[in-house]
């Protein structure tokens, strides 16, 4: 997981991120053909990282193979997005339960309490704004990552990493979009207040090693993200 | 899922399968360097499918990136194998629960009953042998696939497909190895008898839409495979 990757792999990862953004943002629309040469020209990189990136995105399901070295952008429905969020809940719930059953370490509890304290400051801002969104995405990401990695199950961590690449599936996608309008910022603040309250219960259940309760809480917590889907992608 | 793939992708898939076999069989041992040119010479294929296959195997976690275009074979411990089986149980259990909650179709129930009938004939063979192992792997694979695909959750199906590629993680890996000795054949027969009994309960719980019971049964059913790990890979 924490391999120091050579420069070539970093470039490939950047191309993966850029292509994913173009697809999710709709600039490369569903059904559109995607080929090695035009993409390498568009991004100003050599063909090798582009070729590898296309292979990876096809494995993820964002692209479908279509002819020699060609791909088309895969169509994603609202159901696909809700399903991926459901799977995140299932996996995060299982990870939390495994950690509770094994007994959480004092270090883990301390790190989670630090996330709660930081989250409390953000959630109780009087004038909640874009900066708070950005800070929340950071602390929320750390909170979820701590719980998943504490499971110490490589297969589970890897299944979640794959699922996180699906549109709107990751905990980081709970908010998103840049420069939200005032009504959307208000909606974000409501989501953050609910999420922070749920985080507190999750930490309590983990401290008490209540595995079954924790799994249910964590699984339901993921559904907060389902409410956001309508914001970006009206049915 | 059912894309008709061009010849080039089929070749890539063959290289992936062959390399996976060499790694899991220990011919490419943990820590060993794996590079594009020697592999393409060894398998008698061009470098393009090998390059793509190496990228895919690195994404799966069987290889780790190490320097320019190079990889090393990742080490797998007994814990890695048990963890992947645990994750299969979590995902198959969730798939079965979702199917029970949505209500199983008559076609699904009929197909599962057909698997039960065929499994019963295999499991109750008087002289259980290698042929029965092969037949069981077939009917068992169909049984598990039917349940997973009935969830109609693409993210879940894809997470399971990734997990199935880990050593001994898939339902197909419940048996394995060619030409087992007589004591191992006897052990296989015991596993098949238990698995068949569990399949019957699973179908019953699904028919009654008992989602929670079904999830527990399915999750515990995966643990049958954990008992097999010791057979191949003593701790």
């Amino acid at each position: 997981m924490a391999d120091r990757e050579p420069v070539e792999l970093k470039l490939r990862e950047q191309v993966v991120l850029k292509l994913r953004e173009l697809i999710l943002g709709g600039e490369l629309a569903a059904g559109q053909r995607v080929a090695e040469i035009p993409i390498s020209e568009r991004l100003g990189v050599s063909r090798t990282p582009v070729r590898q990136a296309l292979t990876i995105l096809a494995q993820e399901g964002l692209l479908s193979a279509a002819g020699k070295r060609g791909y088309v952008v895969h169509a994603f429905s609202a159901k696909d997005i809700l399903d991926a969020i459901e799977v995140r809940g299932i996996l995060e719930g299982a990870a939390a339960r495994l950690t509770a059953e094994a007994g959480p370490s004092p270090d883990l509890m301390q790190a989670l309490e630090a996330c709660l304290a930081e989250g409390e400051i953000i959630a109780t801002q009087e004038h909640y704004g874009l900066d708070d969104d950005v800070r929340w995405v950071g602390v929320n990401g750390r909170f979820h990552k701590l719980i998943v990695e504490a499971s110490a199950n490589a297969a589970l961590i890897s299944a979640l990493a794959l699922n996180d690449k699906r549109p709107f599936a990751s905990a980081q996608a709970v908010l998103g979009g840049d420069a939200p309008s005032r009504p959307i910022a208000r909606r974000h603040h409501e989501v953050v207040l609910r999420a922070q309250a749920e985080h507190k219960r999750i930490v309590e259940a983990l401290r008490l090693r209540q595995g079954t309760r924790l799994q249910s809480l964590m699984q339901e917590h993921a559904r907060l993200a389902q409410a956001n889907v309508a914001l970006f992608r009206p049915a």
Side-chain angles (χ1 to χ4, degrees), chain A:
Chain A
M1 295 273 128
D3 289 339
R4 261 168 298 174
E5 294 189 339
V7 174
E8 185 179 316
L9 288 181
K10 279 203 184 138
L11 185 58
R12 183 190 80 189
E13 197 51 38
Q14 282 169 6
V15 175
V16 167
L17 287 172
K18 185 65 195 170
L19 284 175
R20 206 182 280 137
E21 190 187 313
L22 291 173
I23 293 167
L24 301 187
E27 279 195 68
L28 293 172
Q32 194 173 327
R33 276 190 66 85
V34 175
E36 216 172 287
I37 297 173
I39 294 293
S40 69
E41 284 168 359
R42 177 170 182 170
L43 304 185
V45 295
S46 72
R47 288 172 62 182
T48 300
V50 171
R51 191 184 306 125
Q52 295 174 333
L54 293 177
T55 303
I56 289 167
L57 292 169
Q59 287 280 308
E60 283 177 16
L62 281 179
L63 299 175
S64 306
K68 196 166 154 58
R69 279 196 198 163
Y71 294 91
V72 293
V73 178
H74 199 91
F76 270 94
S77 67
K79 179 181 186 305
D80 288 324
I81 295 170
L82 297 178
D83 281 356
I85 295 171
E86 178 89 23
V87 170
R88 173 159 71 85
I90 288 164
L91 292 169
E92 286 189 342
R97 175 179 55 76
L98 290 172
T99 302
E101 287 167 358
S105 73
D107 279 0
L108 172 66
M109 294 312 297
Q110 203 173 1
L112 289 172
E113 292 287 357
C115 287
L116 285 188
E118 199 180 329
E120 193 68 15
I121 293 167
I122 299 165
T124 57
Q125 287 292 312
E126 205 172 331
H127 301 288
Y128 186 90
L130 180 58
D131 280 359
D132 301 303
D133 263 7
V134 173
R135 286 169 69 200
W136 175 260
V137 167
V139 70
N140 182 63
R142 283 204 300 285
F143 183 87
H144 282 259
K145 194 173 179 205
L146 280 166
I147 290 179
V148 168
E149 299 205 331
S151 74
N153 181 322
L156 208 164
I157 292 166
S158 161
L160 251 168
L162 177 86
N163 195 66
D164 275 354
K165 290 170 183 167
R166 291 177 172 262
F168 300 103
S170 83
Q172 294 306 78
V174 65
L175 305 172
D178 16 38
S181 65
R182 191 172 295 274
I184 288 183
R186 193 152 50 230
R187 168 91 181 88
H188 282 186
H189 192 193
E190 284 165 24
V191 171
V192 166
L193 278 166
R194 283 180 58 195
Q196 169 71 5
E198 292 182 12
H199 283 186
K200 285 185 207 166
R201 287 178 172 226
I202 285 164
V203 171
E204 182 191 70
L206 184 57
R207 184 172 48 239
L208 299 172
R209 298 198 189 184
Q210 296 169 328
T212 305
R213 176 189 173 207
L214 181 58
Q215 173 159 358
S216 301
L217 284 172
M218 201 74 194
Q219 204 159 332
E220 193 63 28
H221 180 56
R223 294 217 168 88
L224 264 183
Q226 291 188 336
N228 282 298
V229 172
L231 231 63
F232 292 93
R233 189 151 179 155

